[in-house]
Amino acid sequence: MTNSIEELADSNLIIVTGSNTTEAHPVIALRMKRAVRKGAKLIVIDPRKIELTKWADRFVQIKIGTDIPFYNAVANVIINEKLYDEQYVNSRTEGFAEFARHVQHYPPEYAAEVCGVPVEDVYYVAREYAKASPGAAICYTLGITEHSCGSHNVQSLGNLGMLGGNFGAYAGGVNPLRGQNNVQGAGDSGAIPTDLPGYQKLERPGVREKFEAAWGVPLPKRRGITKITAMDQMIKGNVRGVFIMGENTVISDPHANHAEHALKSTEFMVVQDIFLTDTARLADVVLPAAAFAESDGTFANSERRVQRVRAAVKPPGEARQDVDILLDLFGRMGLPQSATTAAEVWDEFRQLAPILAGITYKRLDEGQGIQWPCPDEDHPGTPYLHRDDMDSGMPGFFAPVDHIPPAEEADDEYPIVLTTGRRRSTYHTGTQTGRASGFELLMPHEMCEINPIDAAEMGFEDGDTLVVSSRRGSVTVAAKVTDRSPRGAVFMSFAFPELTRTNDVTSDAYDFITETPEFKACAVKIEKAAEQNLHWKSAQARVRLAGEVVMPTKLKRDAAVAPAGD
Ligand SMILES: Nc1nc2c(c(=O)[nH]1)N[C@H]1C(S)=C(S)[C@@H](COP(=O)(O)OP(=O)(O)OC[C@H]3O[C@@H](n4cnc5c(=O)[nH]c(N)nc54)[C@H](O)[C@@H]3O)O[C@H]1N2
Ligand SMILES: Nc1nc2c(c(=O)[nH]1)N[C@H]1C(S)=C(S)[C@@H](COP(=O)(O)OP(=O)(O)OC[C@H]3O[C@@H](n4cnc5c(=O)[nH]c(N)nc54)[C@H](O)[C@@H]3O)O[C@H]1N2
Ligand SMILES: [Mo]
C-alpha cells in the first residue's frame, strides 16, 4: 500500500475496486466503515454485489474485465472538466499531454456501454473523486490484477491517483491490499524474478556485484522466470527440479490438470509445508515445516509494516522452522551460513537493503512495528510513500492504456463468465480452514453463485448439483441462487477441492507483463448434474478431512449455507 491502514479512516473518499474487502481483508474493511461513519464517501466498483455495497454511496456494477475503459472515461471527465490538480500534475508527473489526448478516445458514453453501467456513474466517480482529492484513497485487489490486462488495469488507477495528486497525500494513495500473510515480506526479501532484497533490480549496474561480494557466490546476470513460465518449461524438460515452499500448487494454480502434469514432469520435487497437501503427495521429498505460531522472525504486512512474530508453541513431531530448514540446506549444499537464527538473517538483510536499514529487532521489540522505507536507526518509518516527491526519484508517468477484454469471453458454446475468489470462512485451497472444525458449519462445500434470473432461465434451483465446464475441464458444484452475482456471470471459490476442484476450469491466460493468471474471467457452460446428491457427499468428505487432524466433527447436515457476508 502507498498509505496506511489507519489513515483510511481519515480519507475524504474511498474507491474500492476489485476487492471484496469485508471478506478478504475484514480489518481493513472496518477502517473503511469507520471512514463512512465519519462522513467519507465510499464508492464500490465491482461486478458483484459484495457486502461493502451496503455501505457505499454509489455501487458501480461494472462488467467483468472492463476496468480500463471505465477509468479512462473517468480521467476523460476529470481532464475535460478541468478538475485535476494542475500544480501537482505539472510539478510531479510526465506524459500528461499525451494522456489527455489518449483518453479523448474514451468518452463517458462509450465506457458506459462497454462497462454496462449508467453514464451517470462515470460522471459521479470523476467529479466526486476529484472533489475529494487530495485525500481520496483508491483500494484495489485481485479483481484488478488477476486479468490478462492486470498491469494495465493498475496503471489506469495510477493515472487517476496522479490526476488527484493523491500519491504523497495523507489518507490518499493507490493501495493494493496484499494477500497472504507476509506476501509483502516475501517481495521485500527478493522472492521476485527481477529483484534482489529490498527491491534492488538485479539488472541495474552495481546491484549484482554488491550481493555477490556479500554472499560470496556468483549470481545470474539475467532476471529469473516467473512461476507460470516455469510450469511450461517443466513440461518441455527445461526446468528439471522444483522446490515448493508453502504453496498447494496443484489446487491453487490455474488449469489444475496442466499444473499437475508440469510438476509430474520434473525429475526432482521438494515440498516444504505444514501439512501433507495434494501437492506434497507428488513430491520426492517432503520437509515438514513449523507454522506461524511455532516460528520466530518477522512478517511484513500490507502497509509495509515489519513486525516481530514469536513462537508461542513448539512445533509438533519432526516439524522445524522454515528458516532452520533453509539454513541447514545451504550448509548441506556446501554454503554454510554465518547466520544461525532468524534475527541474524534479518541483520544481514537490513545491511544489504537500504529501505530496511533502520529496522532493528531491538526497535521492533519496543514498538508496534516499523513501516519501510526506514533508512537509518533514527528514522521513524514511513506511513505513506511519495510525500515530497515520487520515491523512485523519477516523475510519475501517465500511462495511456487501452481496453483489452479477457482472453476468453462468453460465446454460444460457453455463454457464462466464471469469476473466482474468496469467502470469509475459507482460506484458499482449504489446507488450513478445511481441517479446523467449525468452518464447515458456515459453509460445508463449494457453491456456484448464480443470479436468480439466470437460474430461472436455465431451470436451476438453490442446492441443485451443477456441472460447470470450460474448454479445460469441468467440476461438480451446488447452486447458490443469489443476486450477489450479476446476470451472465457466476462465482466460485477454490476452497473445497475434494469435491470441486475449481481450477480444473480456470483459464490459461495471464498478464503479459507480470504473468499473473487470469483467475477472474473464463467462459463456462452450466448444466444440471445427472446425480443430485452433492450436499450429502460433501458432508462426508468434510468429516473425513477434519477427522484426520482434529477430531471427528459432528456435522450439521442442514446447516445454514449462506456465504459469509450476507
Ligand atoms: N477469508 C479469506 N481472506 C483472504 C484470503 C482467503 O483465502 N480467505 N486470501 C488472501 C489473499 S492471498 C488475497 S490475494 C486476498 C484477495 O482479496 P480479494 O481480491 O478482495 O478477494 P477475491 O475474492 O479474489 O475478490 C476479488 C474481487 O474482485 C471482483 N472482481 C472480479 N472481476 C472483476 C473485474 O473485472 N473488475 C473489478 N473491478 N472487480 C472484479 C470480485 O467480484 C471480488 O469482489 O485475500 C486475502 N484474504
Ligand atoms: N481460481 C482461483 N485460483 C487462485 C486464486 C483465485 O482468486 N482464484 N488466487 C490466487 C492467489 S492470489 C493466491 S495467493 C493463491 C494461494 O494459493 P496457495 O498459496 O497454494 O494456497 P494455500 O491453500 O494458502 O496454500 C498455502 C500452503 O502453505 C502451507 N503453510 C502455511 N503456513 C506455512 C508455514 O509457516 N510454512 C510453510 N512451509 N508452509 C506453510 C499451507 O499448509 C498450504 O499448503 O491462489 C491463487 N489461486
Ligand atoms: Mo493472494
Side-chain angles (χ1 to χ4, degrees), residues 63-65 146-149 255 404-419 468-473 488 504-510 518-525:
K63 223 173 104 188
I64 290 172
E146 284 182 345
H147 280 288
S148 49
C149 59
H255 191 180
I404 307 167
E408 203 178 58
E409 293 189 279
D411 55 22
D412 288 347
E413 201 184 343
Y414 297 96
I416 307 277
V417 177
L418 166 70
T419 191
V468 177
S469 316
S470 73
R471 291 184 175 83
R472 288 145 307 273
D504 281 346
V505 175
T506 46
S507 168
D508 286 311
Y510 50 80
E518 189 157 57
F519 284 120
K520 295 302 184 242
C522 76
V524 296
K525 63 179 173 200

Side-chain angles (χ1 to χ4, degrees), residues 142 146 178-180 183 422 428:
L142 303 180
E146 284 182 345
R178 301 307 306 255
Q180 293 179 308
V183 66
R422 289 148 183 82
H428 295 150

Side-chain angles (χ1 to χ4, degrees), residues 216-332:
V217 285
L219 293 172
K221 292 194 177 63
R222 284 195 201 170
R223 62 183 64 190
I225 54 175
T226 66
K227 197 195 69 181
I228 283 285
T229 307
M231 301 299 276
D232 288 336
Q233 293 302 326
M234 286 174 203
I235 293 172
K236 292 188 180 140
N238 297 329
V239 170
R240 291 157 50 213
V242 57
F243 189 128
I244 297 176
M245 196 174 147
E247 190 182 79
N248 192 5
T249 317
V250 295
I251 307 298
S252 59
D253 253 36
H255 191 180
N257 287 323
H258 172 262
E260 196 168 333
H261 174 51
L263 294 177
K264 283 181 175 163
S265 308
T266 59
E267 290 165 30
F268 185 57
M269 175 172 164
V270 184
V271 170
Q272 181 167 322
D273 203 290
I274 62 173
F275 291 115
L276 191 66
T277 60
D278 287 351
T279 307
R281 282 180 218 279
L282 302 179
D284 299 291
V285 178
V286 178
L287 300 168
F292 76 98
E294 300 153 356
S295 300
D296 202 55
T298 52
F299 289 154
N301 76 0
S302 193
E303 55 175 9
R304 299 166 280 103
R305 184 184 297 277
V306 179
Q307 295 167 300
R308 274 284 274 130
V309 56
R310 297 170 188 83
V313 284
K314 282 203 161 53
E318 295 178 341
R320 299 176 62 204
Q321 295 195 20
D322 285 305
V323 67
D324 293 336
I325 299 175
L326 292 181
L327 289 173
D328 265 15
L329 271 177
F330 289 141
R332 300 246 190 137

Side-chain angles (χ1 to χ4, degrees), residues 123-135:
Y123 287 102
Y124 179 87
V125 174
R127 290 172 185 156
E128 293 297 331
Y129 180 70
K131 195 164 76 189
S133 296

Side-chain angles (χ1 to χ4, degrees), residues 176-200:
L177 310 180
R178 301 307 306 255
Q180 293 179 308
N181 180 29
N182 204 36
V183 66
Q184 183 67 52
D188 298 352
S189 51
I192 305 180
T194 48
D195 290 24
L196 286 160
Y199 302 99
Q200 298 173 80

